[in-house]
Amino acid sequence: MPTLDAPPTHRSIARLVPRVVDVHPHDPTAFTQGLIWHDGLLLESTGLYRRSTLREVDPRSGRVLRQRALEPEIFGEGLALVDDRLVQLTWQAGIALVWDRNSLEPIDRWGYNGQGWGLTYDGRHLVMSDGSDRLTFRDPNDFRWVRTLNVRQEGRPVSNLNELEWVDGRLYANVWSEERIVRIDPESGEVDAVIDA
């Protein structure tokens, strides 16, 4: 008698609800693409052509303490902190900008293929999104490709992965144009929780 393959089983996905714990002023004209809270300051990458910047912001007042303007033809995107360096993606220019964290001076540029959307650092690798369902793990010293992770929720690809964060051994990604954030297992690529934002 023939046997049928059982359908794949999926772990249940936790449904998480955010809780607002504080509110801070922020420049309403800044098109925030990457955001890092570090040493009591916000480090921010802003987008839009002719308006993209790298900023250091006082979260209490919302005042921009220091900033670097990007070249007019570059659209700033995701941002990650690696030791004393900031790595900032660009949307379609195929360039990762490397800045000195303390001086905000440019120190390097790395090329990559495709689009740059979100970026985070897991302690070993930079993890990059490109608006698809794929995340790319890259070497933090030269941005070379290490591996690719396909993200799935209940067996289906999750596209439009945007800004990324690394928290307690899990990747978090907002889904562009939706009001949800997904929590991703960095080994399997499976979504194990969804935040309804």
Side-chain angles (χ1 to χ4, degrees):
M1 177 173 221
T3 59
L4 298 175
D5 292 333
T9 59
H10 303 284
R11 294 178 285 186
S12 65
I13 296 174
R15 304 292 173 184
L16 307 176
V17 179
R19 181 172 54 95
V20 176
V21 296
D22 208 350
V23 177
H24 298 270
H26 185 262
D27 176 0
T29 66
F31 189 27
T32 303
Q33 299 296 316
L35 194 63
I36 300 167
W37 188 290
H38 179 72
D39 286 343
L41 296 172
L42 291 176
L43 304 170
E44 181 178 15
S45 170
T46 69
L48 299 177
Y49 292 112
R50 293 174 294 286
R51 293 181 45 197
S52 292
T53 63
L54 173 67
R55 299 176 174 197
E56 183 182 79
V57 179
D58 175 358
R60 289 193 178 107
S61 67
R63 187 168 63 91
V64 176
L65 304 174
R66 295 187 295 168
Q67 78 175 1
R68 294 287 180 174
L70 276 57
E71 296 158 41
E73 68 277 6
I74 292 179
F75 191 118
E77 279 284 349
L79 185 68
L81 178 63
V82 180
D83 301 322
D84 60 352
R85 295 172 295 140
L86 290 163
V87 181
Q88 183 180 26
L89 294 179
T90 60
W91 179 34
Q92 295 181 320
I95 301 167
L97 305 169
V98 185
W99 306 87
D100 180 272
R101 160 61 195 104
N102 297 313
S103 67
L104 297 188
E105 290 291 331
I107 55 177
D108 209 347
R109 285 178 173 228
W110 299 323
Y112 58 86
N113 293 323
Q115 295 186 4
W117 285 40
L119 192 67
T120 193
Y121 182 56
D122 69 3
R124 290 185 53 223
H125 300 106
L126 286 162
V127 185
M128 174 181 164
S129 67
D130 63 5
S132 70
D133 64 323
R134 293 179 312 277
L135 300 178
T136 306
F137 287 69
R138 296 180 173 273
D139 188 298
N141 297 307
D142 57 13
F143 218 56
R144 110 186 120 72
W145 176 90
V146 174
R147 72 181 175 103
T148 300
L149 181 69
N150 293 314
V151 177
R152 302 284 181 265
Q153 182 174 337
E154 297 175 327
R156 293 183 304 276
V158 180
S159 295
N160 294 322
L161 297 173
N162 194 15
E163 180 54 7
L164 303 171
E165 300 298 333
W166 178 260
V167 181
D168 297 330
R170 289 288 192 260
L171 286 160
Y172 288 76
N174 77 299
V175 180
W176 175 250
S177 78
E178 295 184 25
E179 294 181 349
R180 69 180 168 131
I181 298 167
V182 293
R183 187 175 71 190
I184 304 161
D185 181 309
E187 296 304 318
S188 69
E190 283 296 317
V191 169
D192 62 15
V194 174
I195 300 171
D196 179 359

